[in-house]
Amino acid sequence: MFYHDKKLQYTVRVDRPNPAFARLLQQAIGGIEGEIRVCLQYLFQSWGSRGPQKYKDMLLETGTEEMAHIEMLATAVALNLEGATNDLKDQMVGESPILSGIMGGMDPRHYLSAGLAAMAVDSNGVPFNGSWVVGSGNLAADMYANVMAESTGRVLATRLYEATDDAGMKDMLSFLIARDTMHQNQWLAVLEDLGGVQNALPIPNSFPMTSQPNEFAYTFISTDINRPEAPDARWASGPSIDGKGEFTYQHAQPMGQEPQLAPPVPEGYAQQEQMAAGPDGFIEKVKETLF
Amino acid sequence: MFYHDKKLQYTVRVDRPNPAFARLLQQAIGGIEGEIRVCLQYLFQSWGSRGPQKYKDMLLETGTEEMAHIEMLATAVALNLEGATNDLKDQMVGESPILSGIMGGMDPRHYLSAGLAAMAVDSNGVPFNGSWVVGSGNLAADMYANVMAESTGRVLATRLYEATDDAGMKDMLSFLIARDTMHQNQWLAVLEDLGGVQNALPIPNSFPMTSQPNEFAYTFISTDINRPEAPDARWASGPSIDGKGEFTYQHAQPMGQEPQLAPPVPEGYAQQEQMAAGPDGFIEKVKETLF
Amino acid sequence: MFYHDKKLQYTVRVDRPNPAFARLLQQAIGGIEGEIRVCLQYLFQSWGSRGPQKYKDMLLETGTEEMAHIEMLATAVALNLEGATNDLKDQMVGESPILSGIMGGMDPRHYLSAGLAAMAVDSNGVPFNGSWVVGSGNLAADMYANVMAESTGRVLATRLYEATDDAGMKDMLSFLIARDTMHQNQWLAVLEDLGGVQNALPIPNSFPMTSQPNEFAYTFISTDINRPEAPDARWASGPSIDGKGEFTYQHAQPMGQEPQLAPPVPEGYAQQEQMAAGPDGFIEKVKETLF
Amino acid sequence: MFYHDKKLQYTVRVDRPNPAFARLLQQAIGGIEGEIRVCLQYLFQSWGSRGPQKYKDMLLETGTEEMAHIEMLATAVALNLEGATNDLKDQMVGESPILSGIMGGMDPRHYLSAGLAAMAVDSNGVPFNGSWVVGSGNLAADMYANVMAESTGRVLATRLYEATDDAGMKDMLSFLIARDTMHQNQWLAVLEDLGGVQNALPIPNSFPMTSQPNEFAYTFISTDINRPEAPDARWASGPSIDGKGEFTYQHAQPMGQEPQLAPPVPEGYAQQEQMAAGPDGFIEKVKETLF
Amino acid sequence: MFYHDKKLQYTVRVDRPNPAFARLLQQAIGGIEGEIRVCLQYLFQSWGSRGPQKYKDMLLETGTEEMAHIEMLATAVALNLEGATNDLKDQMVGESPILSGIMGGMDPRHYLSAGLAAMAVDSNGVPFNGSWVVGSGNLAADMYANVMAESTGRVLATRLYEATDDAGMKDMLSFLIARDTMHQNQWLAVLEDLGGVQNALPIPNSFPMTSQPNEFAYTFISTDINRPEAPDARWASGPSIDGKGEFTYQHAQPMGQEPQLAPPVPEGYAQQEQMAAGPDGFIEKVKETLF
Amino acid sequence: MFYHDKKLQYTVRVDRPNPAFARLLQQAIGGIEGEIRVCLQYLFQSWGSRGPQKYKDMLLETGTEEMAHIEMLATAVALNLEGATNDLKDQMVGESPILSGIMGGMDPRHYLSAGLAAMAVDSNGVPFNGSWVVGSGNLAADMYANVMAESTGRVLATRLYEATDDAGMKDMLSFLIARDTMHQNQWLAVLEDLGGVQNALPIPNSFPMTSQPNEFAYTFISTDINRPEAPDARWASGPSIDGKGEFTYQHAQPMGQEPQLAPPVPEGYAQQEQMAAGPDGFIEKVKETLF
């Protein structure tokens, strides 16, 4: 269960409110790279964790920390939306055409739907979606999902950092960027704790290697119609990353059949002309009774 | 641009059609762990790739291969839906209560909407969602996104393998499981090619380390109200995974303020009682004019 | 910011695991009536709260409590999914055909995607959607949104209570039902604190009554083609609930015009035949230049 | 069944077309506070109404009226999109920086997808979502859902009123604001008709009070780590709103256990290291057979 | 504006309630082929109609009729959900394994969320989505969208007809099937009224033919790597359907370049290794300042 | 299975990059009228095709071609996003107020989430949705779905053509416009190949005409309360388009009953007052036991 402190985890200060920047911050709240996603992802992974207790505990700790990050960002959005006494255009960062280009205006729903507060949506107003909360029950797969979340999350945070010259916002974002650094390291530390990258692969490592055809398990397949030979690349020759095979090369080629489906069943009500094509003519009787 | 061969990449054979298994296979087509996602993800990453050409090329090759996997699975769904001449219940695998439990029936839309064919949805009929197609423009973040996709994808494939005793389906799934093994290795090979895990971290590695407060960048923060001391864990002491810091421990504590928002602006039409609470009384004039 | 205790707010005990009941519980986690929604709704309302501090504080307290309810339900789902050593069918409650009817099977993604754990979805596997998180910035509107959430939430919880005869599950659900009782009372207590129902209406009460045409503000309009006279009903005569008007009756009738839109602009590329219909013929010139 | 009159329920007049305002109006059509939602919500509640006939009838009448409101707004959108002969910027209301800030441009899909007409989306182009149509089968819960819809709806309408200085648009919006006043009163009149707020609570009032633990049913629980004592607030002491209890105060504390899940089942294909952690070692045998 | 009659457009009678069939009927209410979609689609097309008045009027008439169809189906769902006094299994149609296979159970939300009534969702509980409401502003494109809706709608209705042996349900469905027949004819009658298929094509017919490269406008392009020659098919030779060209054949071949994107901009925070690949080395300076 | 050529199907050239136009192009990638939809739609129709092989083959060919169109558009988006060295405003086309109005700014996620590359979303950032991929199993219904897709797609392309004065973009769009011309003709050629419009109708033509009440199958029903007589229109008199009936006219009138649902079942936990209304009083006993 959970408690709170009314104080924020880290200072949130907006020196010069900017409603257009409030819109950008929404990506870090309700976007696929955002904090609601990592918060719920780590918590659901913890609540469903099976196996060593230490991972369950740690996921709960970091999931709870992420809740504080949503709070900081929601506060930042509200502060950017208030006191907007100057024209948006004047508030935009001066030099970069990229940055002024994305500052086309605030999210109208910040005013219309929320009365100048944060919402559970991304920077285009698309709502947070629960499908992004990944917890597979396989610890290594989940750790890679978490590294991915913190990597795209940190990339997002650095771009937001770049998109403002408000000293308060830069300070808050630099804190979040630092925490993302820690969390990238943290999830990879779990993988090390589990025996390292080689031991973890192929994920899941509990599926018998003998149940997969290993002749396809380390082959780089090229579909490039103009590439007859293997590229000189790390993934086309040499030992595989998991140490359990040797990379080889193959040009894509069909090993399967041309698929052939049965004619439609009568109760599917395809067009008559589709049914007539059936190899066995049983549909003729159906047609006779129809018209 | 693209070409096709009418033959499949690998044989798809269904010995004993099972509409309930067709429903399960949909997860591997239109689910977040499925093949539409990886196909579009690798293709969009390739089409937006900036930097060394070899990564752009390789992403295009593997994205194109994944299209063939969608095709195989769609064919498998159609074959499982036809010739269903026996009761679904009899077709379930015999022993495991978990497996028979999930075999509650086919997806009704396989009949109602698709006439016994595959759809772009998951095993609950929830449509594929384009938000799952991650391409951040940062190569390392994208590689972790890809490892994550192939890890959850291979976990899914092994569970599908477990959920059937149809020899044809097991053969097809074992091929896909092998390809996922390759692709996990392949994306990690790119990370190695980029200089390895240490060099890649923290992602993005192009953001100046001096712009983040490094005192927060390697600290494990515990929110556990009953944990006063550091756990004995890989992520709470010792060198960080990226080699750029030393893990430390801190119990969660507020470093920020208690947030205080301004009273509502009049044109936001909050309740009067909210406005009256404003520290500066400017709302009193507004109220006078209202009633 | 937030802390946690590893213990649950209330005991979660499953005497007889039932994967089909796990599926039903998902509605209380990721459904529109579920706990993720109320948790985020109260927290976002708190984080965006403008006006008296006491409401902001209280919303934060109850939002934090709801997080513990998600945790309880996620634990209950995981426990119902494990040790499923008996046939699902045998585990269903005996007598009611309604209840056995809905127990058609478990959510396949509980196995395929989550490895026997809870997900951020409803009982049909439809993901949680951030659009359900309502915070309007108007405190009275938000309180009604919260009463609504707790009312549909308690209705859901009583139905889940009815759908199981597992003593542990009944105990947990009765706790949640009691908390919903409190929260219904709590949000209505805020309305009382704000001056009561009459004072709050019409929401927002800060919009000038003189800016709306009051002749339409208390009239029950019937669209029933066969109802020429007012019904004998509380809402068709007598004082209005807000005490600011008198209910009257009117049969629906058009007070507006038949709408007439301009012809299509050329750059909208409607069909030529649509353009020719324009009242002013300016489109003729366009057509001449086209072909 | 339904009939129509080609005339509108109320005049829709646009004196000075403004495509950016057309975008804002979309929130009142396809947003969660919008007219499609209330129209379908009241109609579905009517069509599924069980119990006294008068409520079913009345819901049908008001649901049908709401259809006319969608029509008025769709007409207003189309009129705002045509004749856009001046620069958008010039058309914006002059003084308020908030209002000019949200007027960043029109919805591009108004041109690209709809040829200058309304769509079933909100002001950010996010499509209407059927999950918003709430009908629980419990009349009191549904009435609170309806009050909430009309409250957030009227708040939205007043903000749109504020965001335009077009006399025609203000006139149309003032009519809709008046109708929302009526409908707030109307749904609360049903609650009065059902015996009033006290009798309705706790919703559902048909669930036995003896089946919930009443010691938790009227207790305000604070999760604030710094609040050891009860706040001086309406919801922490005194009689409960439903008159069936007395508000008390409790600081949050765990009453449940630390949850412990079983180790993963073999067919879930977690990592081997998770399985090894099982308390009973049955997984060892599995591992032996795997590699 | 709209009126209603409390009576249904056509009799709805359920002889033998079947909750599993109620679930199937949802596809015809809230599915992409369902009645909410056509109702809103025709109404939005009418409300946005530009050009001859007769089409606007007729779309309004048929959109209003469709509302009555939603009502009939919602009533049918409610009736199928009540009085469920027999086991679901016994109620299934006897002979066809396909049909009994899809009858795995009722939608749990029919009980949990709606109290045995219809919802605005499809047969898998996926909510109605406003993106399905197509109104392009081009009358011919819209008519094809409408034919498509009525075609997939009638296919769905015939499958539902097949999936029940309840005489009341068959009667209701046969009425809807007949109305779909009319509406298919009706929309095609508009195309005839517009001058017929040839005149309408290519849609939009107001775009100058001289602005498209006509050498690509009638060529069937094959991507089949094994098909060097034109198929003997209606679409590969002979006059085009629009009478404005002659079908020809071409094997797919690239006419464009190998795309080459610029290196990442520094403020996009790609990995350093991506930037180093830039052709112009301007990134070197950036890197120097970074570390 | 699939191969690729690294070259594009047709040249993609951007003379003057414009990030705001990149946003508009997204509608043609991830919108409902876009290329991902047609690509997947044709491929899924092919993979599920039952009946004559030639249609399956052709759908596969055109689906594969569409993949190349996604590639072209994704490349165009990336090129428009780079080198944005001038103010967005300066880059807008000069004369038309409509066009400058929609050019309010770039999609912020193009920078924040994608690092200046294309995404699987529409021009408002709403993700691609798999529900748009229609394949009904009925060939004629699917062909109309395809004509509709190519018609709305070509309308979109002509509007994009209008919205830019970049010669490179106009060239690329004119190629896509030409291909849409071909594909409209192609799908209608299939209908001709199937025997023509008359033979195909009513879709599905395999459902017995005797199973639908033909007295409702060719009647134009008007719901207009002021239209007592038939309009003089193609769809109200004369032979039906399918040649199987004669159009007639009828004013809408109820042929069904006023629906009456049973009272709520006790386990649905409606309000007590709803249950009391039951005609049979069985609920009284329930109420006695409740309080």
Side-chain angles (χ1 to χ4, degrees), chain A residues 70-82:
Chain A
I70 311 177
E71 184 182 43
M72 288 167 60
L73 285 158
T75 300
V77 165
L79 292 173
N80 269 290
L81 287 167
E82 68 190 24

Side-chain angles (χ1 to χ4, degrees), chain A:
Chain A
M1 60 165 294
F2 300 85
Y3 307 91
H4 74 275
D5 190 306
K6 290 201 287 179
K7 294 203 190 70
L8 299 170
Q9 189 188 10
Y10 191 80
T11 307
V12 174
R13 200 184 79 239
V14 176
D15 296 339
R16 211 176 163 207
N18 183 338
F21 191 64
R23 178 187 175 200
L24 301 197
L25 286 171
Q26 284 289 155
Q27 192 65 30
I29 294 176
I32 191 172
E33 317 95 331
E35 302 283 1
I36 298 180
R37 187 256 189 113
V38 287
C39 172
L40 291 179
Q41 182 158 305
Y42 303 159
L43 291 176
F44 272 85
Q45 286 179 10
S46 175
W47 295 330
S49 177
R50 299 176 185 279
Q53 185 71 19
K54 61 183 169 180
Y55 304 124
K56 180 183 182 71
D57 290 352
M58 190 259 277
L59 284 159
L60 188 55
E61 287 166 307
T62 305
T64 305
E65 183 189 356
E66 300 292 0
M67 174 87 26
H69 296 180
I70 311 177
E71 184 182 43
M72 288 167 60
L73 285 158
T75 300
V77 165
L79 292 173
N80 269 290
L81 287 167
E82 68 190 24
T85 49
N86 303 306
D87 193 283
L88 276 179
K89 200 170 163 182
D90 294 344
Q91 295 167 340
M92 291 172 195
V93 289
E95 300 307 300
S96 166
I98 288 178
L99 301 182
S100 62
I102 61 177
M103 295 290 198
M106 63 184 279
D107 180 342
R109 292 193 63 215
H110 270 157
Y111 170 55
L112 296 178
S113 297
L116 306 181
M119 298 183 295
V121 304
D122 77 4
S123 62
N124 281 323
V126 177
F128 175 80
N129 189 295
S131 66
W132 303 335
V133 178
V134 171
S136 69
N138 180 292
L139 190 56
D142 287 354
M143 287 308 106
Y144 276 115
N146 297 355
V147 175
M148 173 268 208
E150 296 287 347
S151 298
T152 52
R154 193 171 181 270
V155 169
L156 171 62
T158 61
R159 288 170 181 167
L160 289 169
Y161 181 93
E162 189 73 27
T164 182
D165 57 3
D166 183 283
M169 284 294 91
K170 275 191 179 306
D171 183 45
M172 177 192 79
L173 287 163
S174 71
F175 175 77
L176 295 174
I177 289 168
R179 295 310 295 151
D180 288 350
T181 299
M182 174 59 196
H183 293 153
Q184 289 178 20
N185 278 275
Q186 186 173 327
W187 309 128
L188 287 168
V190 172
L191 281 171
E192 188 174 308
D193 203 53
L194 286 169
V197 168
Q198 285 207 357
N199 181 58
L201 294 187
I203 297 169
N205 66 357
S206 59
F207 186 79
M209 293 295 278
T210 53
S211 293
Q212 76 178 359
N214 286 299
E215 66 272 28
F216 302 122
Y218 298 101
T219 302
F220 174 68
I221 294 180
S222 170
T223 60
D224 185 345
I225 209 160
N226 297 313
R227 161 128 67 193
E229 290 173 16
D232 176 24
R234 178 64 188 87
W235 48 86
S237 65
S240 67
I241 302 297
D242 63 12
K244 291 163 187 159
E246 194 78 15
F247 283 134
T248 59
Y249 164 84
Q250 188 185 74
H251 195 271
Q253 55 180 310
M255 294 175 281
Q257 82 277 34
E258 188 178 326
Q260 179 81 34
L261 304 186
V265 292
E267 57 267 59
Y269 292 113
Q271 292 292 89
Q272 291 180 60
E273 291 73 17
Q274 291 176 264
M275 296 172 178
D280 51 10
F282 75 90
I283 228 57
E284 297 308 313
K285 187 176 123 271
V286 177
K287 285 175 64 183
E288 283 167 15
T289 66
L290 288 186
F291 294 90

Side-chain angles (χ1 to χ4, degrees), chain F residues 269-280:
Chain F
Y269 292 113
Q271 291 293 88
Q272 290 181 59
E273 292 73 17
Q274 292 176 265
M275 295 172 178
D280 52 10

